Amino acid sequence: MADINSSVQLVTFQLGEELYGVNIMDVKEIVKVQTVRPIPNAPFYVEGIINLRSEIIPIINLHDRFYIKKIDKTADDYDENDGGFIILDIEGNKIGIIIDKIERVIPVETSTIKPPPQMLSGIGTEYIQGVVRQDSNYLIILDTRKLFNAKELQKIISSDED
């Protein structure tokens, strides 16, 4: 059983209208938007690949994966934290996810993390580790290991090597 006073560090980001978080231990780095090269015959939610310091990294579009509408912004709405990729290390494989806006790293007491409701913003609960109430909003904590099962992950990784 987890220590009642334990906490976890989360990298938070905006995707559509919602605030999401992933465990900082799964985050390799955060990078600015780069040109993404499409991969033929990739799953619909795979945007393509990027070359990051001579390493080929598949880029996943969570908007497509979760059927989330992108935020419509005018040029005046943008700031330096808008857009980009969070590079995750999932079981030794690097995967990039597209984000709308990077927020910040926050500590969250594990005792405040609640189980996800049956359905939340169109995302199946299988991808959600938990939900934390923050002010008048909710922070949805994604389970990066369940975002891509082992078979799916291998398919994505091997499709960028063809």
Side-chain angles (χ1 to χ4, degrees), residues 97-155:
I97 58 173
I98 298 172
I99 60 169
D100 289 330
K101 182 177 185 178
I102 191 67
E103 292 293 335
R104 57 198 168 130
V105 175
I106 61 168
V108 172
E109 295 296 322
T110 54
S111 62
T112 64
I113 300 173
K114 305 295 180 208
Q118 287 303 311
M119 200 54 132
L120 188 64
S121 298
I123 301 174
T125 57
E126 68 268 21
Y127 304 126
I128 301 173
Q129 188 172 338
V131 178
V132 177
R133 181 121 170 113
Q134 290 205 313
D135 303 320
S136 62
N137 293 321
Y138 290 95
L139 169 63
I140 302 165
I141 304 170
L142 296 177
D143 186 335
T144 57
R145 276 152 187 70
K146 290 184 181 172
L147 278 175
F148 313 101
N149 65 42
K151 188 176 181 181
E152 188 177 40
L153 194 57
Q154 194 53 48
K155 181 178 177 184

Side-chain angles (χ1 to χ4, degrees), residues 52-132:
L52 185 64
R53 292 183 294 283
S54 300
E55 192 169 11
I56 303 301
I57 299 175
I59 301 297
I60 307 303
N61 188 328
L62 291 182
H63 293 96
D64 292 345
R65 175 79 181 203
F66 295 156
Y67 304 100
I68 295 173
K69 185 179 175 190
K70 293 180 184 176
I71 296 177
D72 293 327
K73 289 189 171 190
T74 64
D76 294 337
D77 293 333
Y78 281 94
D79 68 27
E80 70 276 356
N81 294 326
D82 285 346
F85 308 125
I86 294 178
I87 308 300
L88 301 169
D89 190 332
I90 303 173
E91 298 173 10
N93 296 303
K94 290 192 180 81
I95 300 278
I97 58 173
I98 298 172
I99 60 169
D100 289 330
K101 182 177 185 178
I102 191 67
E103 292 293 335
R104 57 198 168 130
V105 175
I106 61 168
V108 172
E109 295 296 322
T110 54
S111 62
T112 64
I113 300 173
K114 305 295 180 208
Q118 287 303 311
M119 200 54 132
L120 188 64
S121 298
I123 301 174
T125 57
E126 68 268 21
Y127 304 126
I128 301 173
Q129 188 172 338
V131 178
V132 177

Side-chain angles (χ1 to χ4, degrees), residues 16-49:
E17 297 291 330
E18 301 292 336
L19 186 64
Y20 293 88
V22 292
N23 190 317
I24 196 167
M25 299 306 289
D26 295 333
V27 176
K28 181 76 174 154
E29 63 186 298
I30 299 166
V31 296
K32 298 226 181 265
V33 173
Q34 300 181 25
T35 301
V36 177
R37 196 174 120 217
I39 303 172
N41 301 319
F44 72 96
Y45 54 84
V46 176
E47 195 77 10
I49 56 175

